[in-house]
Structure formats: C-alpha cells, structure tokens
Amino acid sequence: MLPELFLKRMQAQLGAEYEAYMQSLERPRAVALRFNPLKGVAPSLPFVGENVAWEPLGFYYSPDARPGLHPYHEAGVYYLQEASAMSAVALLDPQPGERICDLCAAPGGKSTQIAGRMAGQGFLLCNEWSPKRAKILSQNIERMAVANALVTNETADRLASHLPCFFDRVLIDAPCSGEGMFRKEEAAVTDWSPETVEMCARRQAEILDAGAKLLRPGGRLVYSTCTFAPEENEQTIAAFLQRNPDYHLENIAAPWFTPAGPGQFRLWPHKLLGEGHFAAVLRKDGDHPATGSFPGGEKLPQQWLAFARDLDITLPAGKAVLFGQTLYWAPTKLPELKGLKVLRPGLELGEVKKDRFQPAHALALWLRDRRHSLSFPADSPEIKAYLHGEALPCEKKGWQLVCVDDYGIGWGKGDGNWLKNHYPKGLRR
C-alpha cells in the first residue's frame, strides 16, 4: 500500500526498471550484522552467512536467527546494521589517527563502523540533535567499546561555529523522507507526502552548509540518505555546490553501486541485497591541516591508579577528564568543550569515591580477559544467570571482570563465596 504519488514518480524515475523494483519489494528482506574489530577477531557463528560486498566485516545472517538476543550482542561483538546502511562509511574511508565527525549519528551504526576502521586511534565526534536519540547513540558507543569518541547533543550550526575546519572527514547521514525504508518501516510510508520531501530537502541544505564548515580544506565529506527522491539527493547536492564553490564532487571507484553522476551513487533494492540508499562524495578545495587547540587533561586520581594496578589495566594514549565524580579517558585531541552539550567525552572509567574506585560498565566492555576475570561460554547457565542479574558462586575476592568467551561483558564483586552482580539493572533480561 505505497503512496500513489510516490509510485508515479518512481515509475517515471526508473522507466524500464520499475517492474524489477516493484518485484524486489516482494522478496524477503535481507538482514545483516557487522562485527566489531575493537573486540578482536570475529567469532564463527552458525547463523552468519555471505559477506556484504562493500564492508569486509559485514555479513548477512539467517532471517530465522535472533542475534540481538545472543550474549555476544550485549558484549558489543557485533552491531545489527542493514547492509546498504554500511555503504556511506565505505565511501568515507576513515583512517586511523584522523579527526572525523558523524554529524547525524544516532542510533550509532555508522559511528561504530567508523570507530572500527579508526582502530582506536584519532578523534571521533558523534553528534545527534535529538536528546532521546543522542542517549541511544551514547549507549551504543559504550556497548561497542569505542574509547576515542565524544558524543554531543547539538545542532549542526552550533558545532560548526565551535569547531570550524577541525575535521579531516565529515559524514552527514541526513534525516530524510525514508523512501528506501518503506518495506522495513511502516511509519515511513504513513508519514510520507510530497510536502515531507520538500521539508526534508530544506533541512538537508541547512545541515550540509553547517557540515561544510566543519571540514578542513582538502578533507572529504560524504552525504547520504535512505530515500529515492531526487529533491533530497542529486538536487540537494547540485544546490549545495552552487552555494559552496570551494567544494567539488570526487569521482571515486565504487563498483558495487549504481553511478548517479561523478561522485554520486544509488543503491537500488532490485540490484543488490539491501534497501534503497543514495550517497555523494565531496572534496573541499585546498589542502591545509585541521585547526583547533587541545586543553590538557587532569591528573589521574590515586583511587583509579590503585584499581588499574590491581587489574593490570593499561590505558591508550589520551587524557583524563572529570565530570563531577565521573572519570573519563578522552582522546588526546579532544577540543575545548565549554559551551557544548556533551553526553560522553571519551571512555567512562568509573566513579571516584572518597576511598575507592567504582568501575563503569563501559570499562568492562572495553576490557578483555584480565588477571581478575571470570570467563564463561556464551551458552553457559552462568552467563544466562549473570544477564538476569543473579549472583554467581565465586571463590575470588574483589572486582572481577565477567567475560563471555573472553569478551568483557560486565562487572562482579566477589566476597570469597559469591560474586555480587553489577550488571546494569536497565540492561538485565
């Protein structure tokens, strides 16, 4: 039951391919996940099948499987992500050590994909203007063990005024009319109208102009949507280039996608295993290093140093940031945060108490097998009980990292007989 005006436009847009497109909507939807390199080598799972052509760590999985209920999902071993949605980061091509901004980042699929390619090196800013969606973004950054990311809840304009020419690469996965998600999300169909397309195009122009200011000369900007509307895709890019003559489309090789002009690509559901998407690759003229200054960090408190020494924890390059009693380990190139709405300035280490240190769940997800740890198989009754919030028998004392097959999943504290469960109550099954 697709909108009649949408179907008429698609028929004119696709011509002889229209019937193939309509038939593709009748086939079962392809589902995919992406393994997290920050968790180490990807495990072998029986429900995982064919590789996604444009993402080395992306794989289709059996529609009958429920990988979101597997303990590996809770441990951040993989992220459930639609295959076509992995295309924008493939085109962005992030590199370790760079400064990268994901401007419309919630719920976090593309941000965590970027983080995986950065391999923990450099600085990643993940922004979302909606407070509710920004919270979900922050949770996914935590689950996927991303240590070098700042999560903000800001408008694109405010970020642009705060961090001009700061980034080597910028991704704008813009809010859109969602035509490519029609068979996945019923709400996208009911909310659609020609007026919605026009409204989205206006908003996209504003976000693009702000995002352009964030990028250094010589940097790459990728603009993507999950819609078919030319008004939100090729026409939006053409208008942007008229307003911003210091940008040009970058003609790169992407053999998996359908070219829509130099540096522009369409992903059609009748031509690949995925939903509908559009992406444009833009380059800013010139070649100058990114700008910005970086305030120094704070001294690590003795409570943390004692805790880290006991568990043999070594932090990567970075700096300490205290938000009240909460201690974070931030990227070295974390900029000045004054004036920004920040949800997460880096890896949350825990709470600094008067005479002790209380480790954060984020730290457990970032860590792997440690001197003080308990590891259980994914299908064990112990892991099932732990995720339920139950105490476990334990002869050890003090803080213990609970692992599922050596992937950190949470904390427990032993008293010599039992392990008190510190898995967050909001995540318990």
Side-chain angles (χ1 to χ4, degrees), residues 18-333:
Y18 177 71
E19 287 303 322
Y21 163 71
M22 293 301 293
Q23 290 172 13
S24 74
L25 301 183
E26 300 299 321
R27 73 172 187 233
R29 191 166 60 85
V31 287
L33 57 78
R34 177 178 42 76
F35 284 109
N36 181 8
L38 301 178
K39 283 285 183 172
V41 178
S44 177
L45 296 170
F47 51 81
V48 172
E50 181 184 351
N51 180 230
V52 175
W54 47 91
E55 170 50 64
L57 294 176
F59 292 85
Y60 299 99
Y61 64 85
S62 169
D64 299 328
R66 302 182 70 185
L69 298 180
H70 197 286
Y72 283 177
H73 181 267
E74 302 305 311
V77 176
Y78 52 75
Y79 191 102
L80 303 182
Q81 187 177 22
E82 198 276 315
S84 292
M86 302 178 193
S87 60
V89 173
L91 295 169
L92 186 69
D93 192 27
Q95 300 296 316
E98 292 183 325
R99 302 186 214 168
I100 301 177
C101 175
D102 186 357
L103 192 53
C104 309
K110 295 177 179 64
S111 285
T112 55
Q113 188 181 4
I114 292 169
R117 295 199 178 204
M118 295 177 75
Q121 301 172 46
F123 171 70
L124 173 62
L125 188 150
C126 315
N127 180 69
E128 173 58 42
W129 70 272
S130 163
K132 184 177 180 181
R133 285 170 55 81
K135 185 176 180 181
I136 296 170
L137 167 65
S138 185
Q139 291 168 346
N140 279 321
I141 291 294
E142 174 180 289
R143 182 174 65 86
M144 299 296 282
V146 180
N148 61 325
L150 169 69
V151 179
T152 55
N153 172 212
E154 281 294 352
T155 65
D157 281 336
R158 278 179 53 81
L159 277 183
S161 63
H162 199 91
L163 298 168
C165 299
F166 188 85
F167 295 96
D168 299 298
R169 299 178 198 255
V170 173
L171 174 63
I172 300 177
D173 184 43
C176 68
S177 57
E179 295 172 357
M181 297 290 110
F182 273 1
R183 69 172 179 164
K184 180 183 177 185
E185 299 176 7
E186 186 178 342
V189 179
T190 56
D191 292 345
W192 186 91
S193 70
E195 292 75 24
T196 299
V197 171
E198 293 173 6
M199 178 194 71
C200 288
R202 290 193 297 271
R203 181 168 54 179
Q204 289 153 0
E206 294 171 0
I207 296 172
L208 258 171
D209 286 345
K213 298 173 185 175
L214 290 165
L215 193 67
R216 70 168 177 86
R220 176 179 288 184
L221 185 154
V222 169
Y223 170 84
S224 69
T225 72
C226 57
T227 195
F228 301 119
E231 298 93 324
E232 300 179 64
N233 295 329
E234 292 92 346
Q235 292 177 24
T236 288
I237 293 299
F240 169 79
L241 292 172
Q242 286 187 337
R243 296 191 305 273
N244 296 270
D246 56 336
Y247 273 82
H248 64 273
L249 284 161
E250 187 176 2
N251 195 11
I252 66 171
W256 323 282
F257 314 133
T258 302
Q264 299 179 86
F265 305 93
R266 281 186 174 271
L267 283 69
W268 296 104
H270 60 286
K271 292 188 174 183
L272 47 71
L273 283 176
E275 304 303 323
H277 273 67
F278 168 88
V281 183
L282 298 150
R283 181 72 70 174
K284 192 171 186 178
D285 295 341
D287 188 12
H288 298 288
T291 61
S293 58
F294 315 106
E298 301 178 51
K299 187 177 179 180
L300 282 167
Q302 289 299 318
Q303 296 92 322
W304 159 260
L305 293 174
F307 176 84
R309 190 164 49 247
D310 186 43
L311 270 76
D312 193 24
I313 297 172
T314 301
L315 295 172
K319 57 189 177 185
V321 175
L322 265 172
F323 276 23
Q325 287 186 303
T326 305
L327 179 66
Y328 290 87
W329 191 247
T332 303
K333 293 193 175 180

Side-chain angles (χ1 to χ4, degrees), residues 422-429:
H422 282 261
Y423 194 67
K425 292 182 179 180
L427 299 178
R428 295 178 183 179
R429 297 180 178 178

